Amino acid sequence: MRKYVVDQSGNGDFRTVAEAIAAAPDHAVERTLIVVKNGHYKEKITVPSSKTKLSLLGESRDGAVIVYDDSVSTLKPDGTKMTTFDTPSFTILAEDFYAENITFANSASRLEKRGQALALHVEGDRAVFRNVAMLGHQDTLYTPGNGRQFYDSCYIEGHVDFIFGSATAVFKDCELHSLDRHNGYVTAASTDESQPYGYVFLNCRLTGAAPPATVSLGRPWRPHGSAIFVNTWMGSHIRPEGWDNWRDPAKEKTARYAEYGSVGPGAESAARVDWARYLTEEEASALTVRSVLEGRDGWNPEEVRAAVI
């Protein structure tokens, strides 16, 4: 296993995260471990598809921060504005990526009304994030494609559609924090009709600084968007109706939204929209990290660690 240390002070192999990623071998069969010492690394990074089996291990979650500030208000070299998909601070296209004890952030200020500004774009299959923070405002975490992703004990904050995309992803023991604005949305799933699952949240906490009853659990970016909350604590910022149809009643017939065992002041079951489901105990107990994500190759993300092949 290769190991590189990134340290801004010069006491490592590299001063920037991008340099360490570039040095990692292409199409690796063993992991490359990149240890990131504490510091604010202002870098806009893409992990290309060739950089397989790459691990980022921060010295501490809140101390090792990779941050950039592009947004849809940022101008490209040709003078045109960036699109949403140009803005991520960190983009992952490679398979078998792993991150632990680190923060990915987009610092474009919501007070400046700079619009969409992604912190993290995750597209490669079999991606694992453990004790990772993702900080943004609108569109914090983007999960395109049909890959599989696992978020374990992570902190994700934002306001509008701050977890969005079409991947199959399990969030276990995570905190999803809604910022202090009205009319927020935690998720905007665009799950393909052929996929059995989109976003599955297990034993998570929905916290927020937003006013009471102003944040929806989700709205379908595409007709068959899927999100399920199991045994989740929900704060008072969650709207009693729970879900939003994105101004399209037709999506009420196709979106796949469900809950089981919701608790807390935002778990107002009597007022939930009638086009979302409540799972049975049997259905909920069948939803595990392994059952949702194993796929044809039998992947078990709970066994993956930073330095494990």
Side-chain angles (χ1 to χ4, degrees):
M1 182 190 71
R2 292 173 184 260
K3 177 181 175 181
Y4 302 127
V5 175
V6 178
D7 190 336
Q8 289 179 326
S9 68
N11 294 319
D13 300 297
F14 302 99
R15 289 180 181 269
T16 71
V17 178
E19 289 175 312
I21 291 172
D26 291 333
H27 310 294
V29 295
E30 293 187 348
R31 284 209 167 268
T32 297
L33 175 62
I34 298 175
V35 177
V36 182
K37 294 295 185 178
N38 284 344
H40 275 62
Y41 298 84
K42 187 174 182 181
E43 304 184 50
K44 186 179 179 74
I45 296 172
T46 294
V47 179
S49 59
S50 62
K51 301 295 182 179
T52 54
K53 292 189 179 292
L54 193 67
S55 293
L56 288 189
L57 180 61
E59 183 177 358
S60 68
R61 191 193 75 178
D62 299 327
V65 180
I66 299 173
V67 59
Y68 212 73
D69 57 2
D70 278 343
S71 75
V72 292
S73 297
T74 304
L75 297 181
K76 300 180 185 179
D78 64 3
T80 62
K81 287 185 177 181
M82 288 187 169
T83 70
T84 300
F85 311 108
D86 295 320
T87 66
S89 301
F90 200 96
T91 297
I92 301 158
L93 304 179
E95 293 184 347
D96 296 300
F97 182 88
Y98 181 97
E100 184 173 354
N101 296 342
I102 201 163
T103 291
F104 300 101
N106 190 312
S107 61
S109 173
R110 66 186 186 276
L111 299 178
E112 297 172 5
K113 297 182 179 179
R114 294 176 64 182
Q116 295 93 327
L118 280 64
L120 187 60
H121 166 164
V122 185
E123 194 162 343
D125 192 24
R126 298 187 299 272
V128 175
F129 300 85
R130 186 165 280 118
N131 191 35
V132 170
M134 290 150 247
L135 311 180
H137 182 243
Q138 184 170 355
D139 298 358
T140 304
L141 171 62
Y142 177 40
T143 66
N146 57 5
R148 295 162 292 169
Q149 305 172 13
F150 179 47
Y151 299 83
D152 182 9
S153 304
C154 293
Y155 174 85
I156 308 168
E157 73 171 26
H159 168 50
V160 173
D161 305 334
F162 64 93
I163 302 173
F164 73 112
S166 57
T168 297
V170 173
F171 300 79
K172 179 185 176 185
D173 299 325
C174 293
E175 180 179 356
L176 315 176
H177 184 78
S178 295
L179 295 171
D180 55 346
R181 294 282 294 277
H182 291 79
N183 302 321
Y185 305 88
V186 177
T187 68
S190 56
T191 323
D192 188 80
E193 183 179 6
S194 65
Q195 293 173 240
Y197 303 108
Y199 296 141
V200 178
F201 299 90
L202 304 175
N203 306 313
C204 291
R205 288 178 57 83
L206 304 187
T207 63
T214 60
V215 176
S216 296
L217 296 174
R219 57 179 181 171
W221 183 17
R222 297 291 182 265
H224 297 276
S226 173
I228 302 172
F229 289 87
V230 176
N231 298 330
T232 298
W233 185 92
M234 301 181 181
S236 61
H237 61 296
I238 298 300
R239 294 174 58 227
E241 298 85 355
W243 308 92
D244 182 273
N245 66 13
W246 209 322
R247 303 180 302 279
D248 186 356
K251 289 181 177 178
E252 297 179 6
K253 299 178 180 180
T254 54
R256 294 171 288 165
Y257 288 151
E259 291 176 72
Y260 177 84
S262 299
V263 296
E268 296 271 353
S269 61
R272 287 294 196 256
V273 296
D274 60 9
W275 46 274
R277 293 186 58 221
Y278 280 93
L279 301 180
T280 66
E281 182 178 358
E282 182 179 6
E283 289 173 324
S285 63
L287 292 173
T288 65
V289 175
R290 186 73 182 269
S291 68
V292 174
L293 296 177
E294 65 179 348
R296 294 182 179 180
D297 57 6
W299 185 50
N300 185 2
E302 292 185 292
E303 293 180 348
V304 178
R305 292 294 184 271
V308 176
I309 295 175

